[in-house]
Amino acid sequence: MTLTIVLIAGAALGVFGLGAAALRRSLIGMLVGTQLTVGGWILLTAGLWNLSGTEPSTGQVVAVGTVVFAVAVAALVVALHLAAARASRRAEDLEPW
Amino acid sequence: MNWAGLVFGLSLVLVLLGAGGAAFAQQSRYAVYCLAATMTGVAGICLALGNDYLALLVFLLLAVAVPAAMIAALLLAPVADNDTRTEGRRGTFIAMGIVVGFGVLAWVLTQAAWVPAGGPRQQSIEWLGSRFLTDHLLTMELGAALLALSALGVVALLRGRGACR
């Protein structure tokens, strides 16, 4: 029962995340969607390996790798957002902080 | 009901409400707050399942650090108040895609014949560390390389051609 609930929650997060990424206009909004999908993937891996199979730590390894990937993507996207805003201010002859 | 069950139930509610809010909030700022709530719920579920280290990592990095960076970026460079693309039939198609995708994915995941749990359930941080340093050494090295590459990219974007002159 717990496994089913975790799988459904993970699926919901993944699909909501993809939908959010498709709905947003800004980079930060798309990043929110990507992070939601990452959260769903973490739930799926942690739940699947924890509640089935014989080696639960493999799920944690996959989930830690996913967290690292999510942090790297988030840092790049935030930097891209700031760089774009700076370039836009410079194009308008404003001080780009 | 024990504490793990209580944490699991509360976290599940937080995950579902937060995901809905993050997906459909009009403003990016509220979507980021909802994302932080969702990730706190994910950390709570990991905690209830016994994955303490993963729960701590998800909470500190994905529920606190990443949303804080996003909020800081939004304060420095605000985006439009209405950040959603709902013109025409796009919103309807996306909502239908979400419903259909969720139905298909949930059906596939719940109908699959997963191997029943068995054997020794080693989940301690020591065991996880030993797995990282033996079987999954390449994964750890690749993760470190990815983070280093990402840091280089951030520096290049903010101090390189995009920097103030």
Side-chain angles (χ1 to χ4, degrees), chain B:
Chain B
M1 178 180 284
N2 56 11
W3 279 108
L6 191 65
V7 169
F8 184 81
L10 289 177
S11 302
L12 194 64
V13 172
L14 202 57
V15 162
L16 295 178
L17 289 181
F24 297 113
Q26 294 279 318
Q27 295 188 19
S28 283
R29 194 158 43 103
Y30 297 133
V32 174
Y33 293 144
C34 290
L35 172 71
T38 307
M39 287 304 178
T40 307
V42 170
I45 290 180
C46 290
L47 189 66
L49 291 177
N51 300 331
D52 303 356
Y53 176 68
L54 183 60
L56 190 68
L57 206 62
V58 168
F59 179 72
L60 289 179
L61 290 177
L62 299 186
V64 176
V66 168
M70 287 184 196
I71 290 291
L74 285 175
L75 288 176
L76 275 172
V79 296
D81 274 349
N82 186 359
D83 191 29
T84 52
R85 280 192 279 210
T86 49
E87 66 272 3
R89 292 185 176 173
R90 189 184 177 95
T92 315
F93 281 131
I94 291 175
M96 280 172 56
I98 288 176
V99 171
V100 172
F102 170 69
V104 170
L105 196 57
W107 184 79
V108 167
L109 285 172
T110 51
Q111 294 302 312
W114 304 111
V115 181
R121 315 299 293 171
Q122 290 270 21
Q123 295 191 57
S124 64
I125 179 68
E126 293 86 0
W127 177 247
L128 184 62
S130 74
R131 294 291 311 273
F132 263 120
L133 292 173
T134 52
D135 305 338
H136 300 288
L137 188 60
L138 184 64
T139 309
M140 196 178 73
E141 298 294 343
L142 283 176
L146 182 65
L147 280 180
L149 207 60
S150 162
L152 282 177
V154 169
V155 171
L157 277 171
L158 296 180
R159 298 273 305 189
R161 292 178 60 188
C164 318
R165 293 188 187 90

